Amino acid sequence: MDIPEKKKRIFSGIQPSGKITLGNYLGAVKNWADMQDAYDCIYCIVDLHAITLRQDPAMLRKQTYEAFAQVVACGIDPKKSILFIQSHVHEHAELSWILGCNTMFGELSRMTQFKDKAAKYPENINAGLFTYPVLMVSDILLYQADLVPVGEDQRQHLELTRNVAQRINSVYGDTFTMPDIYTPKVGAKIMSLTDPTQKMSKSDPNPGSYVLLSDSTDEIMRKFKRAVTDSDSCVRYHADKPGVSNLMTIYSAATGKNYEEIEREFDGKGYGVFKPAVGEAVDSLLRPTRERAKQLMEDRGYLEDLFSEGAARASQLAGRTMEKVCKKVGFIKKR
């Protein structure tokens, strides 16, 4: 009898901002759902990472619920995948301390995201902001992940993870799985609606620049009607037309049509017809997820059951790793 091949394990996390953008959805979260059958998937809401920036406690709790509900609404099945809230699994913080004692100051000093955030928030350059890459390393190694989906802005953190894993394995013997970068099929790169030279981001101070999964139909339509295009009225994909090209990319992702089909569909119709059509397509794409997330938010008890079950499953795996690590570094086992 053939023994089924063991699935590779994937780990990924998302910040509890409660604001999953259209770009986040198409570029990451939608892929999470698509990976569930082929991989052993572990996903979490990384609320420990969130507090490197000072948070309003009530808002953080609300946004953590929202992020969890949105991820489930996007198709993450808690029976297929392990889905939990990071702070509910204490081993993340415990392993982070041990790994921090095996991560060099120079390695952390070179992290570009620390430099960027320190420049952006000079009034709150705290120790957690400096050491949070170690917590990211802990998140990955705790579950012996084989693969980690990362964008270019996170590649440096995956390289740090591999360096730390290699160091621990060299000093203490085989301890951690060496993770690799998971490169999903190329998705649509969604740019800002107000500045199509910049990536769509929820941190943009102009809310008209991004579309959220939670946006109403009216909000989505208003944002697309005001989206930047150009003085020409021709719907054509070209490097000299970044605004229109961005809208075509979005329309293509929402409808499955290629650029040639889109150009034919809107030939001679102008932006006054094209931009509302993009808005309607995006609203149709996001509406089921938006409505499902709203239903989930109205049943907090059900959400709490889901993330409690997820934390229990995650803790089983995390506990095995921590027992192994504690023995390796010389801690006495608790009776």
Side-chain angles (χ1 to χ4, degrees):
M1 184 176 69
D2 292 335
I3 299 173
E5 186 176 346
K6 183 181 177 183
K7 292 181 179 179
K8 289 193 173 183
R9 180 171 293 162
I10 280 183
F11 176 88
S12 194
I14 190 169
Q15 287 269 1
S17 66
K19 296 180 178 180
I20 296 178
T21 68
L22 176 64
N24 298 145
Y25 173 72
L26 293 173
V29 182
K30 185 175 182 293
N31 289 328
W32 285 12
D34 295 341
M35 291 187 289
Q36 290 179 108
D37 291 324
Y39 298 95
D40 176 13
C41 297
I42 302 175
Y43 301 125
C44 81
I45 311 301
V46 291
D47 55 340
L48 292 176
H49 286 292
I51 63 170
T52 56
L53 302 178
R54 189 152 296 133
Q55 303 285 333
D56 174 85
M59 185 59 69
L60 178 60
R61 280 189 285 271
K62 177 177 181 290
Q63 291 180 340
T64 302
Y65 273 104
E66 289 175 344
F68 194 95
Q70 287 179 348
V71 168
V72 174
C74 285
I76 302 305
D77 184 346
K79 289 184 169 54
K80 288 183 178 180
S81 302
I82 296 177
L83 176 63
F84 65 101
I85 296 172
Q86 186 185 29
S87 63
H88 290 183
V89 181
H90 59 80
E91 288 88 352
H92 284 259
E94 292 173 13
L95 182 58
S96 183
W97 173 255
I98 295 172
L99 298 184
C101 295
N102 289 273
T103 305
M104 301 299 105
F105 181 87
E107 290 175 312
L108 294 178
S109 298
R110 290 191 291 273
M111 293 290 110
T112 55
Q113 286 205 357
F114 168 71
K115 296 174 185 177
D116 294 343
K117 288 191 174 182
K120 191 172 182 179
Y121 304 100
E123 75 288 350
N124 187 32
I125 307 176
N126 57 71
L129 191 63
F130 184 70
T131 61
Y132 87 95
V134 181
L135 182 57
M136 292 185 71
V137 173
S138 170
D139 296 338
I140 297 164
L141 299 184
L142 190 58
Y143 299 102
Q144 307 290 355
D146 299 292
L147 300 167
V148 184
V150 293
E152 282 302 315
D153 57 339
Q154 297 291 340
R155 184 176 289 269
Q156 193 179 33
H157 292 139
L158 200 281
E159 291 170 356
L160 177 67
T161 302
R162 289 176 58 84
N163 289 342
V164 173
Q166 180 64 50
R167 185 173 297 129
I168 294 283
N169 289 348
S170 297
V171 173
Y172 298 105
D174 183 34
T175 308
F176 294 119
T177 298
M178 189 70 68
D180 287 317
I181 291 174
Y182 172 80
T183 305
K185 60 183 180 182
V186 178
K189 185 176 182 181
I190 307 302
M191 311 303 283
S192 164
L193 298 182
T194 56
D195 181 1
T197 65
Q198 300 295 318
K199 188 177 176 182
M200 181 179 285
S201 171
K202 57 182 174 282
S203 63
D204 192 308
N206 182 356
S209 70
Y210 53 78
V211 174
L212 300 177
L213 261 65
S214 56
D215 281 348
S216 68
T217 297
D218 288 345
E219 288 172 320
I220 291 172
M221 295 304 296
R222 183 170 60 253
K223 289 178 179 181
F224 278 104
K225 285 177 181 177
R226 295 176 178 176
V228 168
T229 49
D230 53 44
S231 57
D232 190 359
S233 61
C234 179
V235 177
R236 182 169 55 90
Y237 193 90
H238 195 275
D240 293 337
K241 297 165 69 71
V244 176
S245 296
N246 184 42
L247 294 181
M248 290 180 68
T249 297
I250 293 170
Y251 191 70
S252 174
T255 64
K257 297 178 180 179
N258 61 39
Y259 295 140
E260 290 182 359
E261 291 172 323
I262 297 169
E263 289 176 3
R264 285 198 301 269
E265 180 180 354
F266 295 97
D267 184 28
K269 294 182 180 178
Y271 302 152
V273 174
F274 177 55
K275 291 201 286 186
V278 180
E280 289 169 3
V282 169
D283 184 56
S284 295
L285 175 70
L286 300 183
R287 189 185 304 119
T289 300
R290 180 176 71 228
E291 292 176 352
R292 176 61 176 149
K294 184 178 179 182
Q295 290 173 350
L296 289 167
M297 283 297 291
E298 291 170 354
D299 191 350
R300 294 288 183 95
Y302 176 66
L303 283 179
E304 288 164 1
D305 286 344
L306 289 182
F307 59 61
S308 294
E309 291 166 10
R313 292 172 65 196
S315 292
Q316 281 189 323
L317 297 176
R320 289 180 208 152
T321 296
M322 282 307 301
E323 186 174 347
K324 184 177 184 180
V325 170
C326 288
K327 182 178 180 180
K328 293 276 189 181
V329 301
F331 295 162
I332 294 174
K333 185 176 181 179
K334 183 174 70 175
R335 296 183 60 183

